[in-house]
Amino acid sequence: MSWGTELWDQFDNLEKHTQWGIDFLDKYAKFVKERLEIEQNYAKQLRNLVKKYCPKRSAKDEEPRFTSCLSFYNILNELNDYAGQREVVAEEMGHRVYAEIMRYSNDIKGERKSHLQEGRKAQQYLDMCLKQMDNSKRKFERECREAEKAQQTYERLDNDSNATKSDVEKAKQQLHLRTHMADESKNEYAAQLQNYNAEQHKHFYIVIPQVYKHLQEMDERRTVKLSECYKGFADAERKVIPIISKCLEGMVQAAKSVDERRDSQIVVDCFKSGFEPNGDYPFEDYSQHIYRTVSDGTISTPKQESLKPDPRVTVGKAKGKLWLFGKKPKWSLRMGPALEDFSHLPPEQRRKRLQQRIDELSRELQKEMDQKDALNKMKDVYEKNPQMGDPSSLHPKIAETTSNIERLRMEIHKNEAWLSEVEGKVSQRSERRHSAEANHLVAQGRESPEGSYTEDANQEGRVQPQPHAHPEFDDEFDDDEPLPAIGHCKSLYPFDGNNEGTLAMKEGEVLYIIEEDKGDGWTRARKQNGEEGYVPTSYIDITLEKNSKGAVTYI
């Protein structure tokens, strides 16, 4: 199958077909360009999306700790890698497909133009040969007619008796001239005809088939190039499939790493305060005077002191969420700045922060010790090889490192002391809580919901049950003698003391400290008039006195 033999007379159609092939090549190149632009924009948008949702590591406390958050950030990292693979696809398509098509399109356009010009030249030459043959043919026809006219004139004059001999001779010469010219035109026409036939045979069997063959080869190469580009287009995607699969597998692994139990434990670690839950409210019997009679003296009348309310429990009309002392006071929103020993934090959070600080200081101490060892080794080298350096030049740096080590050790010791204090208080609170729970169960076993009644027939009366909510505080308030003062304090802010068990104070008032803060943010104090209660630790400036006497003069 050859265009030269099958399509010898379809020059115009072949010209249109080859132009369509080049246009289609350019069309596919435009498609590839738009596709790689889509890939580039897609990758750019993915990277912007990842950047938008990645955490801003501005503060150490804001670092993600929940497994769900960490998994999400791992997914974002995998998505960022996936965006990079989309950029690789775009780059591969740009270099291997689009650039190659554009280069080949320019080459094939020049080649097509050259082949078409060669075909046009061959056609023009054949047309010129045809024109020359046609001219010689018309000349031969014209000369033959002139020769026939000269022959007729000669024959007429030769048969005319009235014609002169000179006219006859003249007509005869004219006949010979025209006959000679006709013979020459005949020979020229025959030569031109033979030449045209030869050129026409050469044109249709040699020149044009060769031109069409080149056009056919060019068009077939264009088709092959398109096939290669199609394959390269697919290869650009296929090459990144393994890496994309790893990215997707990483996303799946990140999803599997989510641990709901661990997240729940992190919530506990973050917000656990270490405080104890509120105890049971004591029953206040206002019906004692109803059952009391003059003649009956068997009614049990409990001491008023036994009904003394728990100073750490709010018994009032406060509704809503209960805090350590009932409803959360407003002053908790106005607490002072963070302290060095984290005493402003709840016990559990304070313990965690202190442990975290100790770990950081330990790492810094290890760095300083390693640096000191390195400086000492360098000093030994300088002492053995003075040409390498002056050992005395290292003394300031060694002294500075030693000072840093001592400072860090003191800091660690100080924080460890605070940590031991906190851990001891937390342990004591845990023991108290277990004791309170045991007493609460015992109390429930021998008391009815409405109170206790004596089984003795001679003692018909209702006995008020003793409260067992916080036995650790009963001893503190049942003492007949006031507790000794261990220091004094000066109030920094006024406190209204509306909650039961708290002590109101004015700004600048001086109070006696009779019990230190146990980690719950409250300090037990006593006024000059003997009134006792709890005040916020952050509201007072405390001065503890060693071997202070607890004798107080009551007004």
Side-chain angles (χ1 to χ4, degrees), residues 280-287 307 449-451 462-465 467:
D280 295 340
Y281 288 114
F283 180 78
E284 300 183 24
D285 190 0
Y286 298 103
S287 64
L307 299 178
E450 299 179 354
R462 192 172 183 179
V463 179
Q464 177 68 27

Side-chain angles (χ1 to χ4, degrees), residues 117 119-130 203:
Q117 286 179 353
R120 289 192 184 96
K121 286 181 180 180
Q123 187 64 39
Q124 290 173 0
Y125 180 72
L126 183 62
D127 292 342
M128 183 188 67
C129 293
L130 178 61
H203 176 80

Side-chain angles (χ1 to χ4, degrees), residues 491-527:
S491 63
L492 303 176
Y493 311 100
F495 180 61
D496 50 16
N498 289 335
N499 291 331
E500 197 164 345
T502 59
L503 181 66
M505 62 181 180
K506 299 179 181 179
E507 183 178 359
E509 186 176 358
V510 177
L511 307 174
Y512 290 102
I513 303 298
I514 58 178
E515 182 180 330
E516 292 185 71
D517 185 357
K518 296 183 179 180
D520 53 11
W522 293 87
T523 300
R524 189 176 177 186
R526 180 167 57 215
K527 289 186 175 182

